Amino acid sequence: MTHTASSGAIGLRERGDLHAGIATPRATLSTSVASLLLAAYVLLLANVSLWRSVWHALAPVTPADAPFVFTVAVMLLMLFWMVFALLGWRGVAKPAWVTLLAITFSAAYFMDSYGLVVDRVAIQSVFETDPREASEWFSARMLPYVVGALIPTIWLLRLQLSFRPWTRELVAKAGVIVLVVTVIGSGILTYFPKLSTIARNHRELQHMINPTTVLQSVYGYARRLVAPRPTTVIPVLTDAKLGSSWTGAARRRLLVLVVGESARASSFSLNGYTRETNPRLAQENVINYGDVHSCGTSTAISLPCMFTDLGETNYTDLTGRGRESLLDVLKRAGLASLWIDNNTGSKNLAARSGEVSVAADRDPKYCGEQGCYDDILVARLRDVLDGKEPPAVVVLHQKGSHGPSYFERYPPEFRRFTPTCESNELDDCTREEIVNTYDNSILYTDHNLAGVIEVLREREDRLDSAMIYVSDHGESTGEKGMYLHGAPSFMAPLEQSQIPMVLWISPTFSDRFAIDTGCLREHRGSSLSHDVLFHSVLGLLDIQTRGYKRPLDIFAGCRLPRDLALIGLVADD
């Protein structure tokens, strides 16, 4: 009897929970039914941005659109069902589904909160950021999405799944695939003209189908990680050497490249913005370029792209991987460089030339819990220039206007435009508050750049110097419901790709390198892109190489005639 009672108790535990001696049976479902329920749940709760965009694409929506919307919903339900069903195998179903739910609702948070799309570049940016920057994305607004993922997770933990023998399970999944293809195919045939029109006019919709698009993006990033890496660095411009203007030079020459972060041209008063966001630069003898476009809309793409010789057209993550950068070319020519970083690093651009990160410094004058303000870059630049062997080129990588925590990018005294958004949860703020806070960060960038110029001017008695500032990409602050950056190129608004670019040249530098600054001012309205940085630096510093492309050098047409013989650049026909 004892043995029988014990066996009975064990049997009850296997079938359910014991509470007060009464067994509560656990629900039992087949993997096909469970995956269909999960698909419906995700369709309804994790695709708000998709449905909002579909509604916008159909506007004005009429009752006649109801059959079409219903058909699209069924097609998506079938697609998601297939995804969950294909993961529903004995031993892996629950872990795979829970992981997919976490990914799905994380993506939903970013899409719903910031109007972003989650493509491969977005996944890459997430994995290549630093912990401090990543923490800015976490907020109380994530709680509903965490709960959204937890509810089906808890349900799955209590659910008893029934599995067929693997051959029958395989047949069942094949049946699901056939049914899904049939339903989706029928929907496409029924509404092909309307679907093709929407797909052509609203390409962003394909990046909002959650989780299938997100899975494609994760897969694309995973392929990048496992792709063979070059065992050797691909050399670039191996014939680079210093031109004749360097011969017999008694004074040191210095070029400071300031790489901005998330600064957009339309928020610079130098470009006509009605607010005075550049009061200090306006008083300096700078040359402002108002029509410049970035190579991409994220740091992961734009930063390496602007420092390579490939240009936007030829640059991809694979073509740029393991390739020498502009800094390598300068080093080969005999010019030392140093990258000072207050962001997430140089993306390996300065690996062979020298890189120092100040992002985690503890200097109380510039740093706090939010990280370090960009004035720490000015301080470190001053230290470097006063050292024994200062380099000829210094790159300062700003934190700039990186969102969503714009309020942490500037000290309190730069809180000029009010009211501000003192939160990383942009939905808690009005658009006016967000714009005010972003503009304050631009105001601080103006101060920071003026600080760099001041450091250089203080050393004009012994240093010929110049500064080029260019942002990596722009930023959306609510235009068309979009925030931050990183939109795919086909749908990226100008706010995310039109960037500021500012040049300052000391009189002694322009004399030494035969630069006609008046000529530069006459051409400041030219349409430019990140492509000009590589070859303009070569031209500005008189680096001779057959790989030099004169049309991409903004200084090429502004050499002083009396000194042309000193400049030994060799153009590549």
Side-chain angles (χ1 to χ4, degrees):
M1 293 292 292
T2 304
H3 176 76
T4 304
S6 175
S7 299
I10 293 173
L12 287 173
R13 288 189 178 92
E14 291 174 346
R15 294 192 301 270
D17 298 326
L18 285 177
H19 181 68
I22 300 175
T24 304
R26 294 169 63 183
T28 302
L29 291 176
S30 68
T31 55
S32 297
V33 174
S35 57
L36 180 60
L37 292 175
L38 290 171
Y41 183 84
V42 165
L43 177 65
L44 292 174
L45 298 184
N47 280 277
V48 174
S49 291
L50 173 65
W51 289 120
R52 186 187 298 125
S53 297
V54 169
W55 189 271
H56 174 73
L58 292 174
V61 180
T62 66
D65 292 313
F68 173 75
V69 173
F70 176 77
T71 300
V72 170
V74 172
M75 292 167 65
L76 291 174
L77 177 63
M78 293 293 101
L79 179 63
F80 298 164
W81 184 26
M82 183 174 65
V83 171
F84 279 99
L86 291 177
L87 295 174
W89 296 93
R90 186 187 301 273
V92 299
K94 289 186 178 182
W97 288 346
V98 168
T99 301
L100 182 55
L101 287 167
I103 293 173
T104 300
F105 279 89
S106 296
Y109 165 70
F110 287 104
M111 289 191 285
D112 296 348
S113 300
Y114 303 109
L116 303 177
V117 296
V118 185
D119 60 359
R120 185 197 61 78
V121 175
I123 298 295
Q124 179 179 345
S125 298
V126 168
F127 281 98
E128 294 184 2
T129 189
D130 58 37
R132 185 188 299 276
E133 185 176 291
S135 66
E136 296 176 3
W137 295 98
F138 297 103
S139 65
R141 180 171 173 75
M142 290 188 71
L143 184 59
Y145 297 87
V146 173
V147 173
L150 281 177
I151 289 174
T153 297
I154 295 172
W155 174 70
L156 282 172
L157 293 177
R158 298 184 57 82
L159 179 66
Q160 183 73 41
L161 289 174
S162 63
F163 294 92
R164 307 171 183 87
W166 76 269
T167 52
R168 291 178 58 193
E169 193 73 45
L170 188 63
V171 171
K173 294 189 187 316
V176 170
I177 294 175
V178 170
L179 178 59
V180 168
V181 171
T182 300
V183 172
I184 293 178
S186 299
I188 292 174
L189 290 175
T190 303
Y191 288 103
F192 181 78
K194 195 164 190 173
L195 285 170
S196 60
T197 299
I198 292 176
R200 183 172 58 252
N201 296 333
H202 300 274
R203 293 176 60 193
E204 70 279 4
L205 290 176
Q206 64 181 301
H207 291 275
M208 295 180 176
I209 303 174
N210 192 15
T212 53
T213 299
V214 179
L215 289 177
Q216 290 176 350
S217 301
V218 172
Y219 173 70
Y221 180 67
R223 284 188 60 190
R224 173 188 177 274
L225 289 180
V226 301
R229 294 180 178 274
T231 55
T232 58
V233 178
I234 302 171
V236 173
L237 308 188
T238 56
D239 63 334
K241 62 182 180 179
L242 295 179
S244 57
S245 63
W246 289 88
T247 304
R251 289 163 54 90
R252 284 192 172 275
R253 265 75 63 82
L254 171 71
L255 171 63
V256 178
L257 293 174
V258 184
V259 179
E261 169 66 58
S262 302
R264 65 188 205 177
S266 59
S267 293
F268 266 49
S269 54
L270 290 178
N271 293 319
Y273 188 43
T274 54
R275 282 181 166 173
E276 193 177 32
T277 53
N278 303 126
R280 292 193 61 182
L281 286 179
Q283 296 176 8
E284 300 289 353
N285 192 30
V286 300
I287 300 171
N288 177 65
Y289 294 89
D291 187 10
V292 186
H293 289 77
S294 62
C295 186
T297 60
S298 68
T299 304
I301 297 298
S302 286
L303 189 61
C305 179
M306 74 168 86
F307 277 86
T308 67
D309 63 323
L310 295 171
E312 180 180 1
T313 302
N314 298 316
Y315 180 84
T316 66
D317 193 54
L318 291 178
T319 58
R321 182 181 296 187
R323 190 180 185 86
E324 286 187 340
S325 73
L326 171 63
L327 303 183
D328 293 299
V329 177
L330 298 179
K331 181 179 179 179
R332 179 174 295 114
L335 299 182
S337 63
L338 176 65
W339 186 293
I340 307 177
D341 199 278
N342 191 33
N343 205 307
T344 57
S346 71
K347 310 300 182 188
N348 212 41
L349 295 168
R352 294 162 296 278
S353 56
E355 178 176 358
V356 175
S357 175
V358 297
D361 276 19
R362 300 295 182 182
D363 190 331
K365 186 175 181 180
Y366 308 105
C367 308
E369 293 183 0
Q370 84 291 339
C372 296
Y373 297 125
D374 281 334
D375 270 357
I376 194 172
L377 296 172
V378 179
R380 297 298 176 264
L381 174 65
R382 185 180 289 110
D383 295 340
V384 168
L385 298 187
D386 292 340
K388 291 183 179 180
E389 294 291 335
V393 176
V394 176
V395 181
L396 304 178
H397 190 192
Q398 295 178 327
K399 191 72 169 179
S401 300
H402 196 283
S405 301
Y406 302 125
F407 69 101
E408 293 184 340
R409 302 295 167 249
Y410 53 87
E413 58 266 30
F414 287 87
R415 189 176 177 269
R416 178 175 302 178
F417 306 111
T418 58
T420 55
C421 177
E422 303 294 312
S423 171
N424 63 346
E425 300 183 45
L426 299 185
D427 273 3
D428 289 347
C429 306
T430 65
R431 181 158 183 254
E432 177 192 8
E433 292 170 338
I434 295 170
V435 172
N436 287 341
T437 314
Y438 178 80
D439 287 350
N440 286 334
S441 72
I442 297 296
L443 179 69
Y444 179 63
T445 292
D446 170 81
H447 158 82
N448 186 249
L449 295 176
V452 172
I453 295 173
E454 184 178 332
V455 168
L456 299 180
R457 186 181 290 114
E458 289 172 352
R459 289 154 180 78
E460 279 186 333
D461 60 328
R462 56 186 173 85
L463 194 67
D464 301 332
S465 57
M467 180 198 78
I468 299 176
Y469 164 78
V470 61
S471 185
D472 59 351
H473 52 75
E475 190 86 340
S476 288
T477 57
E479 298 82 11
K480 298 180 180 179
M482 297 185 70
Y483 289 89
L484 305 176
H485 55 265
S489 57
F490 74 86
M491 61 175 286
L494 278 178
E495 289 82 7
Q496 293 190 30
S497 61
Q498 196 165 38
I499 53 175
M501 178 171 154
V502 177
L503 170 67
W504 178 85
I505 303 180
S506 71
T508 57
F509 189 100
S510 60
D511 288 344
R512 169 56 60 181
F513 288 104
I515 303 297
D516 185 348
T517 54
C519 172
L520 291 176
R521 293 183 187 282
E522 291 178 3
H523 294 87
R524 61 189 175 183
S526 302
S527 181
L528 306 172
S529 72
H530 270 158
D531 290 1
V532 304
L533 181 66
F534 189 97
H535 297 279
S536 294
V537 170
L538 295 181
L540 181 63
L541 295 179
D542 186 17
I543 306 296
Q544 297 183 39
T545 172
R546 288 183 172 81
Y548 164 76
K549 297 180 180 179
R550 178 182 171 87
L552 294 177
D553 177 7
I554 62 174
F555 304 101
C558 294
R559 300 287 181 188
L560 295 171
R562 62 180 177 83
D563 289 321
L564 280 178
L566 296 177
I567 307 301
L569 290 168
V570 180
D572 184 6
D573 296 331

